[in-house]
Amino acid sequence: MNRRSTGSAASRQRFLELFTPKLVTILQERYGLTQFRSDLLAGLTVAIVALPLSMAIAIASGASPAQGLYTAVIGGFLVSALGGSRFQIGGPAGAFIVLVATTVQLHGMQGLFLATIMSGVFLMLAGYLQLGSYIKFIPYPVTIGFTAGIAVIIFASQIKELLGLTLEGPEPGALLEKLPLIWQSLPTVDITTLCVSFLTIGIIVALKQLRPQWPGMLIAIVVTSILTALLQLPLSTIGTAFGGIPNSFPMPAMPEVSLGKVIDLLPVALSFALLGSIESLLSAVVADGMTGRRHRSNCELVAQGIANIASGFFGGICVTGTIARTATNVRAGAHGPVAGMMHAVFLLLFILLAAPVASYIPLASLAGVLAIVAWNMIERHAIAMLLRASRGDAAVLLATLSLTIFRDLMEAIIVGFALGSVLFIHRMSRTTAISTHRPWVEEDQADNAEDREPYDEALASNPEVVVYRITGVFFFGAAGSIGTVLDEIADGCKVLIVDFTEVPFIDSTAANTLEGLAAKSQRRGLQLVFTGVSSELVEQLASYGVHEPMVVFSPSIEQALQAIPQGDERLPEATGLAAG
């Protein structure tokens, strides 16, 4: 009973460590007025950045600007209140624009709400199953490639609004179909729209250089909105295109649900969940790197799931952690999750008190904001580094980038991950090596010095003993080549010593290779000795049928050589040798 109670207590403690929100941790510390003041100012700073971005991302996604703000309020509050990161800021993200826009086109707004709720359920399950620890294994070239690909698609989606084009028919979603239509429509460029969008970009770029601490995006939106209102410029605005923003918050409502819709939206929801988990945990990692803190990845996924479920009920779009806003939160001096919660409160106050002002915001200005966002998403230095680093990394990067732009985001992630995994396996197999040592070989007969140096030739004089040393991880990627070498045992060899001192890990394929070697050695009357094997590895090999007397275990090569009787090439089965 005591042992069972101890185990249950340890399990509860482990659960609390994994899933306790950082807000609880912060409040258990000394959290006073000074910390709240820091969080309040940081929250206001992030809200100023999030205000134009949330509306711009929603419009580009095929939703209304109000839905972007609802998402930022719901996501910002719940992700910070329940999440596993001190500094994470939740809300709509540019990475979702393509997926959300496609979902709206194919399934309508009700389908988007249902897919968002379903993705929230998947995210919660991923968190409770502790899958968050594995998301970080997405290869770096894959994340760089699909992020750059999304940036290209975002910019392409804003060309019409940037130039004020009049298209002949609806704008296609696919890039290869979109670009010819835009090219044909270039004669319809509206000079006024072009000037406003370029003015927006110019203000943002100039303030970033001259006053980087100022909220350049918000200032650009305010300036262009005032000019549009005062000069009565003939531009599309939030008011003319969407009827403005309601000055109230919607009540929760369940979207239309049927078994057929759930099945149709299953791939979409899984795509939302996968992309959301990658984006949010990358954002949390960025915050960790800036602050030296450590986030709770599985707790973060649970919070992201709850936020997406709530966003779907309140008419919002997908919620995820946002890297730019999270970094802004850190730089603004945030102490903990209260800053993200206050950012949501400030956005809610804008909806309730200042929504009519948003009617004057030109869509060209929001397109300029997204053009800057797209440019910033492309990590140019990382791309240049990966292209120079190796052909393998370059291939993974370019494949992911190309598939994201011309095919499908999920297809790009899957193919990129598969290529990255194959590249990793290839590199790991090259780090695993096997070297041969025959103590009696003369110096001028040895292939290279490395085959002789690790051993003392005085330890053995028997020419029928062969020593193999394996270095590196012995796994399925290297098992084939190592198995081939081990099978090519000289006909005159009667004692084979295989050293595992520098093998940190073996997998089932490697264990099966060793089982085949042991069986072959037993049939031929060959004495097989494994040296430098840990007790855990001895148990693992035994589960695959590799055990004494098929093989003798010895702590080291030297002891195995010393134990070989002179005049009898076979070690006794009861030599007393055991794993060290």
Side-chain angles (χ1 to χ4, degrees), residues 91-137:
F96 278 91
I97 288 177
V98 180
L99 285 176
V100 172
T102 304
T103 304
V104 172
Q105 290 176 358
L106 296 177
H107 304 284
M109 200 58 69
Q110 290 294 313
L112 172 64
F113 298 154
L114 182 57
T116 301
I117 293 172
M118 291 169 59
S119 71
V121 174
F122 291 139
L123 283 167
M124 290 184 65
L125 288 175
Y128 283 124
L129 292 174
Q130 300 183 30
L131 300 180
S133 306
Y134 300 98
I135 301 296
K136 61 187 177 183
F137 295 125

Short mmCIF file of all heavy atoms in Angstrom, two decimals, residues 91-137:
data_model
loop_
_atom_site.label_atom_id
_atom_site.label_comp_id
_atom_site.label_asym_id
_atom_site.label_seq_id
_atom_site.Cartn_x
_atom_site.Cartn_y
_atom_site.Cartn_z
N GLY A 91 -3.13 34.68 -30.46
CA GLY A 91 -3.99 35.45 -31.35
C GLY A 91 -3.92 34.91 -32.75
O GLY A 91 -3.34 33.84 -33.00
N PRO A 92 -4.50 35.61 -33.72
CA PRO A 92 -4.41 35.17 -35.12
C PRO A 92 -2.99 35.37 -35.62
O PRO A 92 -2.32 36.33 -35.26
CB PRO A 92 -5.40 36.09 -35.84
CG PRO A 92 -5.46 37.32 -35.00
CD PRO A 92 -5.27 36.86 -33.58
N ALA A 93 -2.53 34.44 -36.47
CA ALA A 93 -1.15 34.50 -36.96
C ALA A 93 -1.12 34.41 -38.48
O ALA A 93 -1.99 33.78 -39.11
CB ALA A 93 -0.32 33.35 -36.36
N GLY A 94 -0.11 35.05 -39.06
CA GLY A 94 0.03 35.05 -40.51
C GLY A 94 0.20 33.67 -41.10
O GLY A 94 -0.19 33.42 -42.24
N ALA A 95 0.77 32.75 -40.32
CA ALA A 95 1.00 31.40 -40.83
C ALA A 95 -0.30 30.69 -41.19
O ALA A 95 -0.30 29.74 -41.99
CB ALA A 95 1.77 30.58 -39.80
N PHE A 96 -1.43 31.12 -40.60
CA PHE A 96 -2.71 30.45 -40.83
C PHE A 96 -3.50 31.05 -42.00
O PHE A 96 -4.56 30.53 -42.34
CB PHE A 96 -3.58 30.53 -39.57
CG PHE A 96 -3.25 29.48 -38.55
CD1 PHE A 96 -2.31 29.72 -37.57
CD2 PHE A 96 -3.88 28.25 -38.58
CE1 PHE A 96 -2.01 28.77 -36.62
CE2 PHE A 96 -3.58 27.29 -37.63
CZ PHE A 96 -2.63 27.54 -36.65
N ILE A 97 -3.02 32.13 -42.57
CA ILE A 97 -3.81 32.84 -43.58
C ILE A 97 -4.23 31.91 -44.72
O ILE A 97 -5.39 31.88 -45.12
CB ILE A 97 -3.02 34.05 -44.12
CG1 ILE A 97 -2.97 35.16 -43.06
CG2 ILE A 97 -3.65 34.58 -45.40
CD1 ILE A 97 -2.14 36.36 -43.47
N VAL A 98 -3.28 31.15 -45.24
CA VAL A 98 -3.57 30.29 -46.40
C VAL A 98 -4.59 29.22 -46.03
O VAL A 98 -5.59 29.01 -46.75
CB VAL A 98 -2.28 29.65 -46.92
CG1 VAL A 98 -2.57 28.76 -48.11
CG2 VAL A 98 -1.26 30.71 -47.29
N LEU A 99 -4.38 28.54 -44.92
CA LEU A 99 -5.28 27.46 -44.52
C LEU A 99 -6.67 27.99 -44.20
O LEU A 99 -7.68 27.39 -44.58
CB LEU A 99 -4.71 26.74 -43.30
CG LEU A 99 -3.52 25.80 -43.55
CD1 LEU A 99 -3.00 25.24 -42.24
CD2 LEU A 99 -3.92 24.66 -44.47
N VAL A 100 -6.73 29.10 -43.48
CA VAL A 100 -8.03 29.66 -43.11
C VAL A 100 -8.79 30.13 -44.34
O VAL A 100 -9.99 29.86 -44.50
CB VAL A 100 -7.86 30.81 -42.09
CG1 VAL A 100 -9.19 31.51 -41.85
CG2 VAL A 100 -7.30 30.29 -40.78
N ALA A 101 -8.11 30.83 -45.24
CA ALA A 101 -8.77 31.33 -46.46
C ALA A 101 -9.30 30.17 -47.30
O ALA A 101 -10.42 30.22 -47.82
CB ALA A 101 -7.79 32.18 -47.26
N THR A 102 -8.51 29.11 -47.43
CA THR A 102 -8.96 27.94 -48.20
C THR A 102 -10.16 27.27 -47.55
O THR A 102 -11.11 26.85 -48.23
CB THR A 102 -7.80 26.93 -48.33
OG1 THR A 102 -6.67 27.57 -48.92
CG2 THR A 102 -8.21 25.74 -49.17
N THR A 103 -10.14 27.19 -46.22
CA THR A 103 -11.26 26.58 -45.49
C THR A 103 -12.54 27.38 -45.66
O THR A 103 -13.62 26.81 -45.86
CB THR A 103 -10.91 26.46 -44.00
OG1 THR A 103 -9.69 25.72 -43.84
CG2 THR A 103 -12.02 25.76 -43.23
N VAL A 104 -12.43 28.70 -45.60
CA VAL A 104 -13.61 29.55 -45.79
C VAL A 104 -14.17 29.37 -47.20
O VAL A 104 -15.39 29.29 -47.39
CB VAL A 104 -13.25 31.03 -45.52
CG1 VAL A 104 -14.42 31.94 -45.90
CG2 VAL A 104 -12.89 31.24 -44.06
N GLN A 105 -13.30 29.28 -48.20
CA GLN A 105 -13.76 29.11 -49.58
C GLN A 105 -14.46 27.78 -49.79
O GLN A 105 -15.47 27.69 -50.50
CB GLN A 105 -12.58 29.22 -50.54
CG GLN A 105 -11.99 30.62 -50.67
CD GLN A 105 -10.77 30.65 -51.57
OE1 GLN A 105 -10.32 29.61 -52.06
NE2 GLN A 105 -10.21 31.84 -51.78
N LEU A 106 -13.95 26.72 -49.16
CA LEU A 106 -14.47 25.38 -49.39
C LEU A 106 -15.64 25.02 -48.48
O LEU A 106 -16.56 24.30 -48.89
CB LEU A 106 -13.36 24.34 -49.23
CG LEU A 106 -12.19 24.42 -50.21
CD1 LEU A 106 -11.15 23.37 -49.87
CD2 LEU A 106 -12.68 24.24 -51.65
N HIS A 107 -15.61 25.50 -47.23
CA HIS A 107 -16.58 25.04 -46.23
C HIS A 107 -17.40 26.17 -45.61
O HIS A 107 -18.27 25.88 -44.77
CB HIS A 107 -15.87 24.26 -45.13
CG HIS A 107 -15.06 23.10 -45.62
ND1 HIS A 107 -15.64 21.90 -46.01
CD2 HIS A 107 -13.72 22.94 -45.80
CE1 HIS A 107 -14.69 21.06 -46.40
NE2 HIS A 107 -13.52 21.66 -46.28
N GLY A 108 -17.12 27.41 -45.98
CA GLY A 108 -17.87 28.52 -45.41
C GLY A 108 -17.41 28.87 -44.01
O GLY A 108 -16.58 28.19 -43.40
N MET A 109 -17.98 29.93 -43.45
CA MET A 109 -17.58 30.40 -42.14
C MET A 109 -17.95 29.42 -41.03
O MET A 109 -17.20 29.23 -40.08
CB MET A 109 -18.20 31.77 -41.87
CG MET A 109 -17.49 32.56 -40.78
SD MET A 109 -15.73 32.85 -41.14
CE MET A 109 -15.84 33.99 -42.51
N GLN A 110 -19.13 28.78 -41.17
CA GLN A 110 -19.52 27.78 -40.17
C GLN A 110 -18.55 26.60 -40.16
O GLN A 110 -18.23 26.06 -39.11
CB GLN A 110 -20.95 27.29 -40.45
CG GLN A 110 -22.03 28.33 -40.19
CD GLN A 110 -22.14 28.69 -38.72
OE1 GLN A 110 -22.17 27.82 -37.86
NE2 GLN A 110 -22.19 29.99 -38.44
N GLY A 111 -18.08 26.22 -41.33
CA GLY A 111 -17.08 25.16 -41.40
C GLY A 111 -15.78 25.55 -40.73
O GLY A 111 -15.13 24.74 -40.07
N LEU A 112 -15.39 26.83 -40.89
CA LEU A 112 -14.18 27.32 -40.24
C LEU A 112 -14.32 27.26 -38.72
O LEU A 112 -13.39 26.82 -38.03
CB LEU A 112 -13.89 28.75 -40.68
CG LEU A 112 -12.76 29.47 -39.95
CD1 LEU A 112 -11.43 28.76 -40.20
CD2 LEU A 112 -12.68 30.94 -40.35
N PHE A 113 -15.47 27.69 -38.20
CA PHE A 113 -15.68 27.66 -36.75
C PHE A 113 -15.59 26.23 -36.21
O PHE A 113 -14.95 25.97 -35.20
CB PHE A 113 -17.04 28.26 -36.38
CG PHE A 113 -17.21 29.71 -36.77
CD1 PHE A 113 -18.46 30.23 -37.02
CD2 PHE A 113 -16.10 30.53 -36.88
CE1 PHE A 113 -18.62 31.57 -37.38
CE2 PHE A 113 -16.24 31.87 -37.24
CZ PHE A 113 -17.50 32.38 -37.48
N LEU A 114 -16.23 25.29 -36.93
CA LEU A 114 -16.22 23.90 -36.48
C LEU A 114 -14.82 23.31 -36.56
O LEU A 114 -14.37 22.60 -35.63
CB LEU A 114 -17.19 23.07 -37.32
CG LEU A 114 -17.32 21.59 -36.96
CD1 LEU A 114 -17.74 21.43 -35.51
CD2 LEU A 114 -18.32 20.90 -37.89
N ALA A 115 -14.08 23.62 -37.64
CA ALA A 115 -12.71 23.11 -37.77
C ALA A 115 -11.81 23.68 -36.68
O ALA A 115 -10.93 22.99 -36.15
CB ALA A 115 -12.15 23.46 -39.15
N THR A 116 -12.04 24.93 -36.31
CA THR A 116 -11.25 25.55 -35.24
C THR A 116 -11.51 24.85 -33.91
O THR A 116 -10.57 24.58 -33.15
CB THR A 116 -11.60 27.05 -35.14
OG1 THR A 116 -11.32 27.69 -36.38
CG2 THR A 116 -10.78 27.72 -34.04
N ILE A 117 -12.77 24.55 -33.62
CA ILE A 117 -13.10 23.84 -32.38
C ILE A 117 -12.50 22.45 -32.38
O ILE A 117 -11.92 21.99 -31.37
CB ILE A 117 -14.63 23.78 -32.21
CG1 ILE A 117 -15.20 25.18 -31.98
CG2 ILE A 117 -15.01 22.85 -31.05
CD1 ILE A 117 -16.71 25.24 -31.99
N MET A 118 -12.61 21.75 -33.51
CA MET A 118 -12.04 20.40 -33.61
C MET A 118 -10.52 20.44 -33.42
O MET A 118 -9.94 19.57 -32.74
CB MET A 118 -12.39 19.78 -34.96
CG MET A 118 -13.86 19.45 -35.13
SD MET A 118 -14.28 19.01 -36.85
CE MET A 118 -13.22 17.59 -37.12
N SER A 119 -9.86 21.43 -34.00
CA SER A 119 -8.41 21.53 -33.84
C SER A 119 -8.05 21.78 -32.38
O SER A 119 -7.02 21.28 -31.89
CB SER A 119 -7.85 22.66 -34.71
OG SER A 119 -8.22 23.93 -34.22
N GLY A 120 -8.91 22.53 -31.67
CA GLY A 120 -8.67 22.73 -30.24
C GLY A 120 -8.72 21.44 -29.46
O GLY A 120 -7.91 21.20 -28.55
N VAL A 121 -9.66 20.56 -29.82
CA VAL A 121 -9.75 19.26 -29.15
C VAL A 121 -8.48 18.45 -29.42
O VAL A 121 -7.91 17.82 -28.51
CB VAL A 121 -11.00 18.49 -29.64
CG1 VAL A 121 -11.02 17.08 -29.07
CG2 VAL A 121 -12.27 19.24 -29.25
N PHE A 122 -8.01 18.46 -30.68
CA PHE A 122 -6.79 17.73 -31.02
C PHE A 122 -5.57 18.29 -30.26
O PHE A 122 -4.70 17.53 -29.81
CB PHE A 122 -6.54 17.78 -32.52
CG PHE A 122 -7.52 17.00 -33.32
CD1 PHE A 122 -8.03 17.49 -34.52
CD2 PHE A 122 -7.95 15.76 -32.91
CE1 PHE A 122 -8.95 16.78 -35.26
CE2 PHE A 122 -8.87 15.02 -33.64
CZ PHE A 122 -9.38 15.54 -34.82
N LEU A 123 -5.51 19.61 -30.13
CA LEU A 123 -4.39 20.21 -29.40
C LEU A 123 -4.41 19.81 -27.92
O LEU A 123 -3.36 19.54 -27.33
CB LEU A 123 -4.44 21.73 -29.54
CG LEU A 123 -3.97 22.30 -30.88
CD1 LEU A 123 -4.37 23.76 -31.01
CD2 LEU A 123 -2.46 22.17 -31.00
N MET A 124 -5.59 19.80 -27.33
CA MET A 124 -5.69 19.37 -25.93
C MET A 124 -5.26 17.92 -25.78
O MET A 124 -4.51 17.57 -24.84
CB MET A 124 -7.13 19.55 -25.43
CG MET A 124 -7.55 21.00 -25.25
SD MET A 124 -9.22 21.12 -24.53
CE MET A 124 -8.96 20.40 -22.91
N LEU A 125 -5.70 17.05 -26.70
CA LEU A 125 -5.30 15.65 -26.63
C LEU A 125 -3.79 15.52 -26.78
O LEU A 125 -3.15 14.73 -26.06
CB LEU A 125 -6.00 14.85 -27.74
CG LEU A 125 -7.50 14.59 -27.54
CD1 LEU A 125 -8.08 13.90 -28.77
CD2 LEU A 125 -7.73 13.73 -26.30
N ALA A 126 -3.21 16.29 -27.71
CA ALA A 126 -1.75 16.23 -27.90
C ALA A 126 -1.03 16.65 -26.63
O ALA A 126 0.00 16.06 -26.26
CB ALA A 126 -1.35 17.15 -29.06
N GLY A 127 -1.56 17.65 -25.95
CA GLY A 127 -0.94 18.08 -24.70
C GLY A 127 -1.04 17.03 -23.62
O GLY A 127 -0.04 16.70 -22.96
N TYR A 128 -2.23 16.46 -23.42
CA TYR A 128 -2.41 15.47 -22.36
C TYR A 128 -1.67 14.17 -22.67
O TYR A 128 -1.31 13.43 -21.75
CB TYR A 128 -3.89 15.20 -22.14
CG TYR A 128 -4.59 16.30 -21.36
CD1 TYR A 128 -5.71 16.95 -21.87
CD2 TYR A 128 -4.11 16.70 -20.11
CE1 TYR A 128 -6.33 17.97 -21.16
CE2 TYR A 128 -4.72 17.71 -19.41
CZ TYR A 128 -5.83 18.35 -19.93
OH TYR A 128 -6.44 19.36 -19.22
N LEU A 129 -1.46 13.89 -23.95
CA LEU A 129 -0.65 12.72 -24.33
C LEU A 129 0.84 13.03 -24.31
O LEU A 129 1.65 12.18 -24.68
CB LEU A 129 -1.06 12.22 -25.72
CG LEU A 129 -2.47 11.62 -25.82
CD1 LEU A 129 -2.81 11.30 -27.27
CD2 LEU A 129 -2.59 10.37 -24.96
N GLN A 130 1.18 14.26 -23.93
CA GLN A 130 2.57 14.72 -23.79
C GLN A 130 3.33 14.64 -25.11
O GLN A 130 4.52 14.30 -25.15
CB GLN A 130 3.29 13.92 -22.70
CG GLN A 130 2.63 14.05 -21.34
CD GLN A 130 3.37 13.32 -20.23
OE1 GLN A 130 4.58 13.18 -20.28
NE2 GLN A 130 2.64 12.86 -19.23
N LEU A 131 2.64 14.99 -26.20
CA LEU A 131 3.29 15.01 -27.51
C LEU A 131 4.04 16.31 -27.76
O LEU A 131 4.78 16.42 -28.73
CB LEU A 131 2.26 14.80 -28.62
CG LEU A 131 1.46 13.49 -28.57
CD1 LEU A 131 0.49 13.42 -29.74
CD2 LEU A 131 2.41 12.30 -28.59
N GLY A 132 3.83 17.29 -26.89
CA GLY A 132 4.50 18.57 -27.08
C GLY A 132 6.01 18.45 -27.04
O GLY A 132 6.73 19.26 -27.64
N SER A 133 6.51 17.44 -26.34
CA SER A 133 7.95 17.25 -26.23
C SER A 133 8.57 16.83 -27.56
O SER A 133 9.78 16.94 -27.73
CB SER A 133 8.26 16.18 -25.17
OG SER A 133 7.64 16.50 -23.94
N TYR A 134 7.74 16.36 -28.50
CA TYR A 134 8.27 15.84 -29.76
C TYR A 134 8.15 16.84 -30.91
O TYR A 134 8.77 16.64 -31.96
CB TYR A 134 7.55 14.55 -30.14
CG TYR A 134 7.70 13.46 -29.10
CD1 TYR A 134 6.71 13.23 -28.16
CD2 TYR A 134 8.86 12.69 -29.05
CE1 TYR A 134 6.84 12.24 -27.20
CE2 TYR A 134 9.01 11.71 -28.09
CZ TYR A 134 7.99 11.48 -27.16
OH TYR A 134 8.15 10.52 -26.21
N ILE A 135 7.35 17.89 -30.73
CA ILE A 135 7.19 18.88 -31.80
C ILE A 135 8.53 19.53 -32.14
O ILE A 135 8.80 19.89 -33.28
CB ILE A 135 6.16 19.95 -31.39
CG1 ILE A 135 4.80 19.30 -31.10
CG2 ILE A 135 6.01 21.02 -32.47
CD1 ILE A 135 4.16 18.64 -32.27
N LYS A 136 9.40 19.64 -31.13
CA LYS A 136 10.69 20.31 -31.35
C LYS A 136 11.59 19.54 -32.31
O LYS A 136 12.61 20.07 -32.76
CB LYS A 136 11.41 20.51 -30.03
CG LYS A 136 11.73 19.21 -29.29
CD LYS A 136 12.29 19.47 -27.91
CE LYS A 136 12.52 18.17 -27.14
NZ LYS A 136 13.00 18.41 -25.78
N PHE A 137 11.22 18.29 -32.65
CA PHE A 137 12.05 17.51 -33.55
C PHE A 137 11.77 17.83 -35.02
O PHE A 137 12.33 17.18 -35.90
CB PHE A 137 11.85 16.01 -33.29
CG PHE A 137 12.32 15.57 -31.94
CD1 PHE A 137 11.48 14.90 -31.06
CD2 PHE A 137 13.60 15.86 -31.52
CE1 PHE A 137 11.92 14.50 -29.81
CE2 PHE A 137 14.05 15.48 -30.26
CZ PHE A 137 13.21 14.80 -29.41
#
